[in-house]
Amino acid sequence: MALRIALRQKYVFLGLLSSSGNHGRVATVLVSQMRNNATSPNIKVDFNQSTGVAVLSMQSPPVNSLSLDLLTELCINLEKLEMDRACRGLIITSNQPKVFSAGLDILEMYGKSPERCGEFWRAVQEMWLKMYGSNMVTIAAINGSSPAGGCLLSLTCDYRIMVDNPRYSIGLNETLLGIVAPFWFKETMANTVGHRNTEMALELGLLYSPSEALKIGLVDQLVPQDQLLTTATETMKKWLAIPDHARQITKSMMRKPTLDKLTSNREADIQNFVSFITKDSIQKSLRMYLEMLKKRKA
Amino acid sequence: MALRIALRQKYVFLGLLSSSGNHGRVATVLVSQMRNNATSPNIKVDFNQSTGVAVLSMQSPPVNSLSLDLLTELCINLEKLEMDRACRGLIITSNQPKVFSAGLDILEMYGKSPERCGEFWRAVQEMWLKMYGSNMVTIAAINGSSPAGGCLLSLTCDYRIMVDNPRYSIGLNETLLGIVAPFWFKETMANTVGHRNTEMALELGLLYSPSEALKIGLVDQLVPQDQLLTTATETMKKWLAIPDHARQITKSMMRKPTLDKLTSNREADIQNFVSFITKDSIQKSLRMYLEMLKKRKA
Amino acid sequence: MALRIALRQKYVFLGLLSSSGNHGRVATVLVSQMRNNATSPNIKVDFNQSTGVAVLSMQSPPVNSLSLDLLTELCINLEKLEMDRACRGLIITSNQPKVFSAGLDILEMYGKSPERCGEFWRAVQEMWLKMYGSNMVTIAAINGSSPAGGCLLSLTCDYRIMVDNPRYSIGLNETLLGIVAPFWFKETMANTVGHRNTEMALELGLLYSPSEALKIGLVDQLVPQDQLLTTATETMKKWLAIPDHARQITKSMMRKPTLDKLTSNREADIQNFVSFITKDSIQKSLRMYLEMLKKRKA
């Protein structure tokens, strides 16, 4: 059973990636990646006491899909870093090749009980609230494709640097799967690229190449792969030169209205998600999507 | 009397067009257009059952001015298409040469009773509510100038393709006539081109050339005249590839807050319009404008 | 004592300018400027009855710092012009070389009683309310650097023309000093350059070169120094060609929601500012900043 799930899981996220056109290549790499990860943690944190900067790497094979487990682990690590006054900056990146994060794990939404779906959604909310409201300077070092929830995770950061590889893509492409980005995904994107870009992107489920993403402001900077972490580190220095209290109050002023909308509607948002995702028609959409992926694979 | 109104009507909308500098040329064409339209409908709808796409062409000579009659006919057609589950997409265009729509009919606002003005304004609201809130994919194929209400009609669509002819212009130019775009015109534009572009455009009554309109995002794409409908049709295919329910929920999420503002203030908005437009000073502005147009013509 | 304050005042504002990298040059010029200004007014107004346009020049040495006195004088002049029906347009500029305005006077915030801080803040609010809500057409002719409150003053105008000199800079750089731009500074900027540009600018205290400012829309136009006033005058003609009542109602529609937020929270905003600025930690930040400037100077 575990194996079957693992296989289906792989299909799912390769499927997501395949919409950016590099299905075959990634698949080959990922299968080899999956072999010796049984005991490795899903998240690796390197905290540099002297700079006050932590680098958090997602390493959940094959494609850092945001399962309940990974989200929980992510939130625990974020909370630890947030409470450590020595930690002022966070760089978030991926240890998986060619992907930053493939987004929310579809298998957490397909064939699950309403209770389990609700538990999963609460974890997605928690991740967003912790990241978008973080007092730390947060920089996304996007070293691969970043669809759906992976894009959301990037959008919660203060700054986004992406590897300039046209094979990678980024965007909130939920409609392609027949599902819908909730209002707080939408607001996070609109706060970044404006209302009209968000309307087009969400209705069409657009995935942007790095250069397109830069053009509309979905990412802030493109760099070659081998300069990603040094650029993120240099950028962090610039942000940390600002007095923390002034930067934090300013960040809160910019983001609190958006954060408050979810905080004050959290249970309703969960109910809304659960009743939507457990609909027969939506489950059917997800099943058809999963089956399409299996066929593609076969 | 009917003839006199028709003549004045022509002056009015040519006047609107003249602000984009092509008064003389359009006038000549339009006079010939007016001859054999007495019995033709103001709106033509071609619905293709196999694609699920309807093409709605405005053909109200001379310049598709949005009179109470045309607005009513437009709303009836929109309602029919909206209720037809087979119709998933709508392309809106003009059968008049050189103009998409010259906007709201000034003669519906000049020398009319408050009751009639209120009836007219309710029809403008109805058109906007139906278009901006449509469940169909809506594409504006803008094959000519599109000032004021014509621009609004374009802005309600999901996507705007304009013919790349520098003689055409588009914009909410109400202030040029001494009148004011109401808050929902403003919000529709701000949702498309942002707050600052809207502020400048509305205060100065700016009319943009196609290339200027593209630059600020007032339209999404420019094409040569002879590629307009094929491009609209190709674009529609891309939008219809998205599952309807996911796209519709997403569209509603983006637009409902703006729609709700009018829906919950509809009567107040009508009263506001009527009391503004029936002011002596505003009627005087409109009369001077009409007289200026007559003199230009003579 | 007066001399000592004057000297510290100079340091403070040179310090603000120094963050744009032209500390030494400005200092030399400013010292000579300070000599014969003892009796000159802080504000000069030239009102042209025939055009209906007033040019208001700030001439408060050395760098038009917005002290309680200058703000009060500014508000009195604005009120006079606003109430003069013959005055339809206002061009605001600086008679000091190389600086438009260095922003809020730090010495009004350092070592002052809560009462005095509150009085100062009320004057800042008053200036913003009068400028952002003005019925006149307002154009900023930005002939030098314009950090912090100087940038805010520019942002309240309908149109911004800046001298294209890469030594000049503009931006809301409050965080660099450990203080925070309040919500209405933020909203004024977001209404101009959007949410994301504002978030980055305010968190990092960014100062933009004229060409960078043009790129994000923080200013509308760049011109050589010797064309600044003629360009402002020509631009004003274009704005004054619009009927006043239509332009004013439209301007109010665009800005009233933002104005109302402060009007209905004015006392709370003052209390908030006073309790923030009188904190030991903030006073310490300001003292360290002032001492750093003295050392730089020495």
Side-chain angles (χ1 to χ4, degrees):
Chain A
M1 181 61 188
L3 178 64
R4 208 179 129 219
I5 286 182
L7 280 170
R8 282 166 70 191
Q9 201 160 9
K10 184 177 65 185
Y11 292 153
V12 172
F13 302 110
L14 294 177
L16 271 169
L17 280 170
S18 73
S19 54
S20 61
N22 50 9
H23 176 66
R25 287 177 50 103
V26 178
T28 318
V29 178
L30 294 177
V31 168
S32 64
Q33 287 287 324
M34 287 179 72
R35 283 188 189 134
N36 50 10
N37 270 311
T39 59
S40 73
N42 289 315
I43 284 179
K44 178 163 164 263
V45 175
D46 292 309
F47 177 45
N48 184 328
Q49 287 276 357
S50 69
T51 61
V53 178
V55 177
L56 184 156
S57 305
M58 296 176 284
Q59 47 188 16
S60 176
V63 288
N64 293 328
S65 58
L66 299 170
S67 63
L68 180 54
D69 282 352
L70 181 54
L71 286 166
T72 305
E73 206 176 323
L74 185 54
C75 286
I76 290 170
N77 277 284
L78 288 173
E79 189 152 335
K80 272 188 208 163
L81 295 171
E82 197 76 50
M83 288 171 64
D84 182 349
R85 288 179 62 94
C87 181
R88 299 174 59 214
L90 172 69
I91 295 169
I92 188 160
T93 192
S94 162
N95 272 353
Q96 301 306 116
K98 295 183 172 42
V99 66
F100 178 74
S101 164
L104 303 187
D105 188 339
I106 295 176
L107 292 177
E108 300 280 10
M109 307 186 233
Y110 177 68
K112 291 287 188 295
S113 72
E115 290 70 28
R116 171 76 186 197
C117 286
E119 192 185 0
F120 172 64
W121 198 247
R122 190 181 302 277
V124 181
Q125 292 179 335
E126 193 63 31
M127 177 274 282
W128 180 80
L129 289 167
K130 280 193 159 42
M131 284 297 297
Y132 201 57
S134 173
N135 270 323
M136 297 181 282
V137 174
T138 52
I139 294 179
I142 309 166
N143 51 345
S145 283
S146 196
C151 177
L152 179 74
L153 180 55
S154 307
L155 283 170
T156 61
C157 292
D158 291 311
Y159 197 78
R160 284 160 287 288
I161 309 168
M162 189 170 186
V163 169
D164 192 10
N165 183 336
R167 288 170 179 277
Y168 300 158
S169 65
I170 184 168
L172 294 177
N173 62 326
E174 279 80 355
T175 52
L176 295 182
L177 282 74
I179 59 176
V180 177
F183 76 91
W184 38 288
F185 283 48
K186 180 261 288 181
E187 302 236 336
T188 313
M189 188 167 193
N191 286 349
T192 311
V193 299
H195 187 279
R196 174 59 181 158
N197 280 322
T198 302
E199 185 176 74
M200 287 263 286
L202 294 196
E203 289 194 37
L204 291 169
L206 294 180
L207 287 167
Y208 297 86
S209 70
S211 60
E212 291 166 340
L214 181 68
K215 200 177 164 191
I216 67 161
L218 189 57
V219 300
D220 298 299
Q221 194 176 348
L222 302 183
V223 293
Q225 174 90 41
D226 60 1
Q227 294 170 26
L228 182 63
L229 278 182
T230 52
T231 305
T233 305
E234 286 308 304
T235 303
M236 183 61 81
K237 280 183 197 164
K238 197 174 68 171
W239 283 76
L240 292 182
I242 309 297
D244 278 344
H245 72 278
R247 185 189 51 71
Q248 287 163 354
I249 296 172
T250 302
K251 182 171 177 176
S252 170
M253 179 175 63
M254 298 303 303
R255 299 190 169 191
K256 193 167 182 298
T258 305
L259 288 161
D260 285 350
K261 280 191 204 168
L262 181 59
T263 306
S264 62
N265 285 289
R266 216 167 153 178
E267 297 308 319
D269 182 64
I270 292 172
Q271 284 189 344
N272 192 44
F273 170 76
V274 172
S275 74
F276 176 79
I277 208 73
T278 55
K279 271 185 191 160
D280 285 350
S281 58
I282 302 302
Q283 287 290 310
K284 192 179 157 194
S285 283
L286 294 177
R287 193 182 67 235
M288 286 170 64
Y289 185 77
L290 293 169
E291 281 169 1
M292 179 194 73
L293 295 174
K294 276 189 204 169
K295 276 181 197 156
R296 273 201 199 170
K297 182 67 191 165
Chain B
M1 180 62 188
L3 177 65
R4 208 181 127 216
I5 285 181
L7 281 169
R8 281 167 69 191
Q9 201 161 7
K10 185 176 64 184
Y11 293 153
V12 173
F13 302 109
L14 295 177
L16 271 170
L17 281 169
S18 73
S19 56
S20 62
N22 51 8
H23 174 67
R25 289 176 50 103
V26 178
T28 318
V29 178
L30 294 177
V31 168
S32 64
Q33 286 288 322
M34 287 179 73
R35 284 190 190 133
N36 50 10
N37 271 310
T39 59
S40 73
N42 289 315
I43 284 178
K44 181 167 162 256
V45 175
D46 293 309
F47 177 46
N48 185 328
Q49 288 276 357
S50 69
T51 61
V53 178
V55 177
L56 185 156
S57 305
M58 295 176 284
Q59 48 188 18
S60 177
V63 288
N64 293 328
S65 59
L66 299 170
S67 63
L68 179 53
D69 282 353
L70 181 54
L71 287 166
T72 305
E73 207 176 320
L74 186 55
C75 286
I76 290 170
N77 277 283
L78 288 173
E79 190 152 336
K80 273 188 209 164
L81 295 170
E82 196 77 50
M83 288 171 62
D84 182 349
R85 288 179 60 95
C87 182
R88 299 174 59 215
L90 172 68
I91 295 170
I92 188 161
T93 192
S94 162
N95 271 353
Q96 301 306 117
K98 296 184 170 44
V99 65
F100 178 73
S101 164
L104 303 187
D105 188 339
I106 294 176
L107 292 177
E108 299 280 12
M109 306 186 232
Y110 178 67
K112 291 286 188 294
S113 71
E115 290 69 29
R116 171 77 187 199
C117 285
E119 194 185 356
F120 172 65
W121 198 246
R122 191 181 301 279
V124 181
Q125 291 178 335
E126 194 63 31
M127 176 274 283
W128 180 81
L129 289 168
K130 280 192 160 42
M131 284 296 299
Y132 201 58
S134 174
N135 270 323
M136 298 180 282
V137 173
T138 52
I139 294 180
I142 309 166
N143 51 346
S145 283
S146 196
C151 177
L152 179 74
L153 179 56
S154 307
L155 284 170
T156 61
C157 293
D158 291 312
Y159 196 79
R160 283 160 287 287
I161 308 170
M162 189 171 187
V163 169
D164 191 9
N165 182 335
R167 288 172 178 275
Y168 300 159
S169 65
I170 184 167
L172 294 177
N173 62 326
E174 280 80 356
T175 52
L176 295 182
L177 282 73
I179 59 177
V180 177
F183 76 90
W184 38 288
F185 284 48
K186 180 261 287 182
E187 302 236 336
T188 313
M189 188 166 192
N191 286 349
T192 312
V193 300
H195 187 279
R196 173 59 180 160
N197 281 322
T198 302
E199 184 176 75
M200 287 264 284
L202 294 196
E203 289 195 36
L204 291 169
L206 295 179
L207 287 167
Y208 297 86
S209 70
S211 60
E212 290 166 340
L214 180 68
K215 199 176 166 193
I216 66 162
L218 190 56
V219 301
D220 298 300
Q221 195 175 347
L222 302 183
V223 293
Q225 174 89 42
D226 60 0
Q227 293 171 26
L228 182 62
L229 278 183
T230 51
T231 305
T233 305
E234 284 309 302
T235 304
M236 184 60 83
K237 280 183 197 162
K238 198 174 68 172
W239 283 77
L240 293 181
I242 309 298
D244 278 345
H245 72 278
R247 185 191 50 71
Q248 287 163 355
I249 295 172
T250 303
K251 182 172 178 176
S252 170
M253 179 174 63
M254 297 303 302
R255 299 189 170 191
K256 195 167 181 299
T258 305
L259 289 161
D260 284 350
K261 280 192 205 168
L262 181 60
T263 306
S264 62
N265 285 289
R266 216 167 152 179
E267 297 308 318
D269 181 63
I270 291 173
Q271 284 189 343
N272 191 45
F273 170 76
V274 172
S275 72
F276 176 79
I277 208 72
T278 55
K279 269 185 192 160
D280 286 348
S281 58
I282 302 303
Q283 287 291 309
K284 192 180 157 192
S285 284
L286 294 177
R287 194 181 68 233
M288 286 169 63
Y289 186 75
L290 293 169
E291 282 169 2
M292 180 195 71
L293 295 174
K294 276 189 204 170
K295 276 179 199 159
R296 274 199 200 171
K297 182 69 190 163
Chain C
M1 180 60 188
L3 177 65
R4 207 179 131 220
I5 286 181
L7 280 170
R8 282 166 70 190
Q9 201 160 7
K10 185 176 64 184
Y11 293 153
V12 172
F13 303 108
L14 295 177
L16 271 169
L17 281 169
S18 74
S19 55
S20 61
N22 50 9
H23 175 66
R25 285 177 53 101
V26 178
T28 317
V29 177
L30 293 176
V31 169
S32 63
Q33 286 287 324
M34 286 180 74
R35 285 193 187 130
N36 51 10
N37 268 311
T39 60
S40 73
N42 288 315
I43 284 179
K44 180 165 162 258
V45 176
D46 292 308
F47 177 45
N48 184 329
Q49 287 276 357
S50 68
T51 60
V53 177
V55 177
L56 185 156
S57 305
M58 295 176 285
Q59 48 188 17
S60 176
V63 288
N64 292 329
S65 59
L66 298 170
S67 63
L68 180 53
D69 282 351
L70 181 55
L71 287 166
T72 305
E73 206 176 324
L74 186 56
C75 286
I76 290 171
N77 277 283
L78 289 173
E79 191 152 334
K80 274 188 206 165
L81 296 170
E82 197 77 49
M83 288 172 64
D84 182 349
R85 288 179 61 95
C87 182
R88 299 174 60 215
L90 172 69
I91 295 169
I92 189 161
T93 191
S94 161
N95 271 353
Q96 301 307 115
K98 296 184 171 44
V99 66
F100 178 73
S101 163
L104 303 187
D105 188 339
I106 295 176
L107 292 178
E108 300 280 11
M109 306 185 233
Y110 177 68
K112 290 287 188 294
S113 71
E115 290 71 28
R116 170 76 186 199
C117 285
E119 192 184 358
F120 172 65
W121 198 247
R122 190 181 301 278
V124 180
Q125 292 178 334
E126 193 64 30
M127 177 275 283
W128 180 80
L129 289 167
K130 279 190 161 43
M131 284 297 299
Y132 201 58
S134 174
N135 270 323
M136 298 180 282
V137 173
T138 52
I139 294 180
I142 309 165
N143 50 346
S145 283
S146 195
C151 176
L152 179 73
L153 180 56
S154 307
L155 284 170
T156 60
C157 292
D158 291 310
Y159 197 79
R160 284 160 287 287
I161 308 169
M162 189 170 185
V163 169
D164 191 9
N165 183 336
R167 288 173 179 274
Y168 299 159
S169 65
I170 185 169
L172 294 177
N173 61 325
E174 280 79 355
T175 52
L176 295 182
L177 282 73
I179 59 178
V180 177
F183 76 91
W184 37 289
F185 284 46
K186 179 262 285 180
E187 301 235 336
T188 313
M189 189 167 192
N191 286 348
T192 311
V193 299
H195 188 280
R196 173 59 180 158
N197 280 322
T198 302
E199 184 175 75
M200 287 263 285
L202 294 196
E203 288 194 37
L204 290 169
L206 294 180
L207 287 167
Y208 297 87
S209 71
S211 59
E212 291 166 340
L214 180 68
K215 200 175 166 195
I216 66 162
L218 190 57
V219 300
D220 298 300
Q221 194 175 349
L222 302 183
V223 293
Q225 174 89 42
D226 60 1
Q227 294 171 26
L228 182 62
L229 279 181
T230 51
T231 305
T233 304
E234 285 309 303
T235 304
M236 183 61 81
K237 281 183 195 162
K238 197 174 71 173
W239 283 77
L240 293 182
I242 309 297
D244 279 344
H245 73 277
R247 184 190 52 71
Q248 287 163 355
I249 295 171
T250 303
K251 181 171 176 175
S252 170
M253 179 175 63
M254 298 302 303
R255 299 191 169 189
K256 194 168 180 301
T258 305
L259 288 161
D260 284 351
K261 279 192 206 166
L262 181 59
T263 306
S264 62
N265 286 288
R266 215 167 152 178
E267 297 308 319
D269 182 63
I270 291 173
Q271 284 189 344
N272 191 45
F273 170 75
V274 172
S275 74
F276 176 78
I277 208 73
T278 55
K279 269 183 193 161
D280 286 349
S281 58
I282 302 302
Q283 287 290 310
K284 192 179 157 192
S285 285
L286 294 178
R287 193 181 68 233
M288 285 169 66
Y289 186 74
L290 293 169
E291 282 169 1
M292 179 194 72
L293 296 174
K294 276 191 206 171
K295 276 179 198 157
R296 274 200 199 169
K297 182 69 190 166

